[in-house]
Amino acid sequence: MGLRYHCVSFPGKKNPYVKTSFYRSLHLLRTLLATCLMGGLALLSAPLAHAEESVTLNFVNADIPSVVKAIGGASGRNFIFDPRVTGTMNIVSDQPVSKDLAYQILLAALRVQGYAAVEGNGFVKIIPEADAKTTGSPIDDKAARIGGDRIITQVFHLQHESSGQLVAVLRPLVSPNNYLGAYPGNNTLVITDYAENVRRIARIIASIDVPGSADIQMLKLQHASAVDVANLLTRLMPEASPNQMSPGTPPKLAIGVDARTNSLLLRADTPALITRVKTLLTGIDIPTATGGNIQVVYLRNAEAAKLAETLRALLAADSAKTAAQPAPSATPGAATTPGTAPVSAPVSTIQAYAATNSLVIIAPDHVYQSLRSVIDKLDARRAQVFVEALIVEVSTSVTAEFGIQWQDLSGLNRGGAQTIGGTNFGGIGTNIIGAAQNVASLNAGLNIGIVRGRLNIPGVGEVVNLGMLARALQDDQKANVLSTPNILTLDNEEAKIVVGQNVPFVTGSFTQAANTSTNPFQTIERKDIGLTLKVTPQVAEGGAVKLKVYQEVSSVVPTTSSIKSADLITNKRSIENTVLVDDGQIVVIGGLIQDDTKNGESKVPLLGDLPVIGNLFKYQNKSRDKTNLMVFLRPYVLRDANAAKRLTGERYDYIRNEQGAFLQENSTLLPPAGGPQLPQGEQPAQQPAASAK
């Protein structure tokens, strides 16, 4: 039977404690065999707590819990084991070591086996290394005093470098099962790892987190314009452009402009870049050959003609101010040259060239530098405003009519004294007399009459002998009109959209007189009838939008074909006001709530008041019109090209889907009609596929 011995001996005494074990056997059997092999020494009763400061370690293929228990007894620490901690380890020391060093050797051996020790209040937990980062561990000040292979957590506050960029550098240095993270909010790093490794990483961070090798430098130009030079350097030097291979990485050379002092602000990764820029500026920043120079400035957004007027006004105001200042008095005793005139300042000229939307400036260097800084600020991209208008009109109309009319005209064709009479109510389309002349003139509804032949009325002609006419009508009409006109315009520019018809209205006529050869004519004025929206937006710096709005909804009242265009009646609802609304918010700019009720009754005196029978001698009509109209606006401020492109894409896809839903279904009897449809919109660029290695 093979036996393995695992001993902890203490020098200075004759083996006060000897412990033997049988590999992977019961504890009782291990104790008995060790006692026999050591010659019956009864030394097991000596407690481990009386061990001296030095111990000798000799563990070969020893069970991990047994080794931890033995060293824990020597160092006076309490251990808690995770059930997943299993296996064996080898620890051999030829010379005695201190109990603190024995504890450090145990932690190193556990780390080799894939386990970690996490210290708590009076105990040490032995757990798998992958779970160590989620348990409680010393942080910051307490962690800084701990060494060895104990798990700690430390927070590093960076002063110069970016925490997000340092993560990629430090990630390979942290144990695979431990944690490294960045918090960009306050530019910090959080690391949970073994104490010695955290200290090593701390030294690396201290070496990296230092000020850049080249600080920000300010180069003042004497003759050239700082704005023009900055644009030139940005185009010529590739280091000033962002790295396309790693988006988000700042360029190696950053160039800024201070227009007030006509200076360049430079920041570079290396001093060599600063030296290259200074070399270029030596040849650029030189005076021109004459007092005035000609410069051409190409504008990106502003209109050249309007900007030229503004700049000329600035120069005129500055010249007037200079002329108003008193000339300095001559120095007493100074000699003057006879016949010489004072030298006047060179004249500055600004002209606009509309073909290329550019400015041609003739001015001295210092004047051009001042103008160039103003041009750079005024030539900014103007914001655009997309305005959505929502016009909602809900109307209901209820009409009711009921009446009975009588007449007796049979005595017209008889000789002698005869009596005729009857009742007639209402106007054209409801009156019994009009119905007798033309039955087709009756309005819609239920019409019941009694006819007894025809009559010939002198001066009128032959009519139907209509003795009784009963009319009944109930008409309910509902309308829900929703209009959503949209319009896009530049900031401070008026935009107008009209959706409707151009209707002619007769304003005058001339009729040909008798025995004349003059041609008759009519004068006609055409007006837009429908929906009109005019908007002038003004975007404030804080994001609010001031809207000057004119909104009109008009329509032509339906009429019969006999009515001429000069007699047309139009309905019109308009709003003209100025409102202030935040970007993307909805505001109501006006509305109308109208409720019109009309009751009419025509009857024969006395007879119409009789109960029940009185309904045969009267005519009643009722109507009620109710209208609810509201107008809403919502502006969207588009400050860059991406916002305009995104909004256009959304509207384009919406109308394309509407067209697709409108396409007619296939029919077995009719050929497919098809129809126009917008092409597919622009799709986002796809990433190129990785080439096979």
Side-chain angles (χ1 to χ4, degrees):
M1 176 181 294
L3 297 179
R4 295 180 176 87
Y5 299 92
H6 316 289
C7 302
V8 180
S9 59
F10 304 88
K13 293 185 179 181
K14 294 183 179 180
N15 294 333
Y17 178 77
V18 178
K19 182 179 179 181
T20 63
S21 63
F22 179 72
Y23 182 63
R24 298 184 183 275
S25 61
L26 297 177
H27 178 70
L28 180 60
L29 180 60
R30 188 167 56 239
T31 303
L32 294 175
L33 292 175
T35 303
C36 296
L37 291 174
M38 297 303 297
L41 297 177
L43 299 177
L44 292 176
S45 60
L48 187 60
H50 297 296
E52 296 186 358
E53 296 297 328
S54 299
V55 295
T56 301
L57 305 178
N58 187 13
F59 298 97
V60 180
N61 291 333
D63 192 34
I64 291 179
S66 300
V67 176
V68 172
K69 183 177 180 181
I71 297 180
S75 60
R77 289 179 172 84
N78 300 319
F79 290 89
I80 299 176
F81 290 92
D82 188 282
R84 293 169 290 179
V85 178
T86 58
T88 60
M89 65 170 56
N90 299 317
I91 301 177
V92 177
S93 62
D94 295 336
Q95 300 294 330
V97 296
S98 64
K99 62 179 183 180
D100 291 335
L101 180 58
Y103 177 65
Q104 297 297 332
I105 294 174
L106 173 64
L107 297 182
L110 290 174
R111 180 179 177 181
V112 173
Q113 298 294 328
Y115 303 114
V118 179
E119 295 185 353
N121 295 327
F123 60 89
V124 180
K125 292 185 294 184
I126 308 298
I127 59 176
E129 186 183 63
D131 297 338
K133 58 179 176 290
T134 60
T135 60
S137 58
I139 301 176
D140 292 341
D141 295 339
K142 186 177 180 181
R145 298 190 297 269
I146 296 177
D149 292 315
R150 283 175 280 188
I151 297 293
I152 63 172
T153 299
Q154 194 161 350
V155 180
F156 296 91
H157 298 273
L158 305 181
Q159 301 297 327
H160 306 282
E161 296 296 329
S162 170
S163 59
Q165 296 180 1
L166 269 186
V167 167
V169 178
L170 301 177
R171 175 69 66 185
L173 304 179
V174 179
S175 302
N177 291 325
N178 291 323
Y179 176 75
L180 168 63
Y183 180 60
N186 56 1
N187 198 33
T188 56
L189 288 173
V190 180
I191 302 177
T192 299
D193 202 356
Y194 294 100
E196 289 299 328
N197 197 31
V198 172
R199 290 183 179 179
R200 181 171 67 98
I201 294 175
R203 292 191 293 269
I204 296 175
I205 293 176
S207 301
I208 296 176
D209 188 29
V210 295
S213 56
D215 295 331
I216 296 178
Q217 295 193 17
M218 182 175 180
L219 303 179
K220 183 176 178 58
L221 304 182
Q222 300 297 328
H223 307 283
S225 170
V227 177
D228 291 339
V229 173
N231 294 334
L232 179 63
L233 294 177
T234 303
R235 293 194 303 267
L236 293 180
M237 302 191 68
E239 293 85 358
S241 301
N243 191 353
Q244 301 296 334
M245 301 302 296
S246 57
T249 304
K252 297 181 179 179
L253 176 63
I255 304 175
V257 176
D258 182 18
R260 186 179 61 85
T261 59
N262 194 42
S263 303
L264 291 179
L265 302 178
L266 303 178
R267 184 193 61 80
D269 289 349
T270 59
L273 283 176
I274 299 293
T275 304
R276 287 176 55 192
V277 174
K278 289 181 178 180
T279 303
L280 289 174
L281 293 182
T282 303
I284 295 175
D285 189 25
I286 58 176
T288 56
T290 60
N293 56 352
I294 301 177
Q295 301 287 346
V296 178
V297 180
Y298 295 95
L299 303 180
R300 299 184 300 272
N301 302 288
E303 187 177 347
K306 293 182 179 180
L307 187 55
E309 294 179 3
T310 303
L311 297 178
R312 283 195 290 265
L314 290 176
L315 287 179
D318 185 67
S319 299
K321 181 179 178 182
T322 304
Q325 295 178 355
S329 59
T331 305
T336 59
T337 305
T340 60
V343 179
S344 61
V347 179
S348 301
T349 304
I350 303 174
Q351 295 294 334
Y353 185 60
T356 58
N357 194 38
S358 56
L359 296 175
V360 180
I361 302 176
I362 303 176
D365 290 339
H366 67 281
V367 176
Y368 174 73
Q369 293 168 8
S370 301
L371 293 177
R372 192 64 181 86
S373 61
V374 175
I375 293 172
D376 189 62
K377 292 181 175 63
L378 296 181
D379 189 28
R381 180 186 178 93
R382 294 172 63 184
Q384 298 184 95
V385 181
F386 180 77
V387 181
E388 287 183 335
L390 180 64
I391 306 170
V392 184
E393 181 176 358
V394 180
S395 61
T396 59
S397 177
V398 179
T399 303
E401 296 181 22
F402 182 78
I404 299 176
Q405 304 176 52
W406 305 86
Q407 71 176 0
D408 184 7
L409 303 177
S410 60
L412 288 175
N413 296 328
R414 298 178 184 177
Q418 299 293 330
T419 301
I420 63 172
T423 61
N424 61 86
F425 307 110
I428 300 174
T430 61
N431 188 272
I432 190 173
I433 297 177
Q437 295 177 359
N438 184 9
V439 178
S441 66
L442 289 173
N443 288 339
L446 176 64
N447 299 283
I448 300 175
I450 299 176
V451 179
R452 295 193 297 268
R454 303 183 68 84
L455 292 174
N456 189 359
I457 302 176
V460 177
E462 189 178 33
V463 298
V464 177
N465 187 8
L466 184 61
M468 187 270 293
L469 175 64
R471 275 186 48 78
L473 171 66
Q474 182 175 352
D475 186 13
D476 295 338
Q477 295 181 0
K478 296 182 180 180
N480 182 9
V481 180
L482 175 64
S483 301
T484 57
N486 303 328
I487 195 166
L488 177 66
T489 182
L490 279 175
D491 184 20
N492 283 321
E493 294 289 344
E494 180 181 305
K496 178 181 179 181
I497 183 173
V498 178
V499 181
Q501 295 178 320
N502 193 258
V503 180
F505 292 87
V506 177
T507 58
S509 63
F510 177 80
T511 305
Q512 182 178 0
N515 300 324
T516 61
S517 60
T518 305
N519 294 326
F521 65 88
Q522 288 182 332
T523 59
I524 296 176
E525 180 184 0
R526 290 186 171 271
K527 294 184 179 181
D528 293 330
I529 300 297
L531 188 145
T532 302
L533 173 64
K534 291 193 295 185
V535 179
T536 304
Q538 182 179 1
V539 181
E541 190 66 26
V545 183
K546 181 180 179 181
L547 297 175
K548 184 179 179 181
V549 184
Y550 176 77
Q551 176 80 53
E552 178 184 308
V553 179
S554 58
S555 61
V556 177
V557 177
T559 59
T560 60
S561 60
S562 62
I563 296 181
K564 300 179 181 180
S565 60
D567 300 326
L568 291 178
I569 301 175
T570 59
N571 296 324
K572 180 179 177 181
R573 300 182 180 94
S574 64
I575 299 174
E576 185 173 4
N577 62 350
T578 302
V579 296
L580 188 67
V581 58
D582 291 333
D583 180 17
Q585 301 300 316
I586 300 177
V587 62
V588 56
I589 64 171
L592 168 69
I593 299 178
Q594 180 180 359
D595 196 347
D596 187 8
T597 302
K598 296 179 180 179
N599 295 327
E601 183 179 73
S602 301
K603 63 182 178 179
V604 177
L606 299 179
L607 295 177
D609 296 330
L610 296 176
V612 182
I613 300 176
N615 292 325
L616 301 176
F617 300 96
K618 62 183 176 181
Y619 190 88
Q620 296 176 329
N621 56 1
K622 297 181 179 180
S623 65
R624 182 180 182 183
D625 296 329
K626 187 175 182 180
T627 303
N628 294 323
L629 173 66
M630 287 291 172
V631 180
F632 302 88
L633 288 180
R634 175 164 58 183
Y636 291 99
V637 180
L638 311 178
R639 299 186 181 275
D640 53 20
N642 292 331
K645 183 177 180 180
R646 182 169 57 253
L647 180 64
T648 302
E650 292 175 358
R651 297 300 187 271
Y652 189 90
D653 294 339
Y654 169 77
I655 197 65
R656 192 172 186 275
N657 294 333
E658 290 293 318
Q659 282 190 330
F662 182 75
L663 294 178
Q664 299 180 1
E665 297 181 358
N666 295 330
S667 174
T668 56
L669 300 179
L670 299 176
Q677 189 175 9
L678 293 172
Q680 181 70 29
E682 183 180 354
Q683 299 295 328
Q686 297 182 356
Q687 298 293 336
S691 59
K693 294 183 179 180

